[in-house]
Amino acid sequence: MERLGAWLFVVLAVAVALLGNYLGATWASKDDKFSLLLLAVIAVSPFVFITFGLVTSRLGVAIGSGTIDALLTVCTIIMGLFLFQEWSKISVFQYFGLALVLSGIVFLQFS
């Protein structure tokens, strides 16, 4: 049950960080840098670090950070592919790299 609780925090941390990445990318793509999107980026940013701390307090910095960062990388790439339609920007080797990242996440969970 404790492991499930830790994974719920991992999912929350990745979701909050992914929201921050989305807001940051969307804000940066606009001409008007002083918009409500900037306020949203500023509002979400502290929660990225708070949820990261909650995960590392349960899993440790090495495993927690590795898991969050790897999942965030995969989720951000998926966001780029589906929301920003960047299919032509990913090569076959990069897809292979994503598969390795996913296998790394699985291996990180073995204790």
Side-chain angles (χ1 to χ4, degrees):
M1 187 66 176
E2 184 177 324
R3 193 79 160 160
L4 177 64
W7 264 99
L8 290 176
F9 277 108
V10 167
V11 169
L12 177 64
V14 171
V16 170
L18 186 62
L19 175 62
N21 285 356
Y22 172 77
L23 291 171
T26 305
W27 165 77
S29 70
K30 303 293 182 190
D31 289 333
D32 181 17
K33 300 298 185 216
F34 297 101
S35 65
L36 289 177
L37 280 172
L38 176 60
L39 292 177
V41 170
I42 292 169
V44 168
S45 295
F47 293 105
V48 173
F49 296 102
I50 291 168
T51 55
F52 176 82
L54 291 171
V55 170
T56 59
S57 71
R58 286 163 178 75
L59 296 178
V61 175
I63 299 300
S65 175
T67 302
I68 289 172
D69 290 344
L71 281 171
L72 182 58
T73 297
V74 170
C75 290
T76 302
I77 291 168
I78 290 170
M79 179 181 68
L81 293 174
F82 287 100
L83 290 180
F84 296 110
Q85 298 297 311
E86 298 176 346
W87 292 97
S88 63
K89 295 182 180 182
I90 305 290
S91 71
V92 172
F93 289 112
Q94 290 168 323
Y95 282 115
F96 180 69
L98 285 174
L100 292 175
V101 169
L102 290 173
S103 65
I105 293 167
V106 171
F107 289 133
L108 278 171
Q109 301 315 306
F110 291 109
S111 54

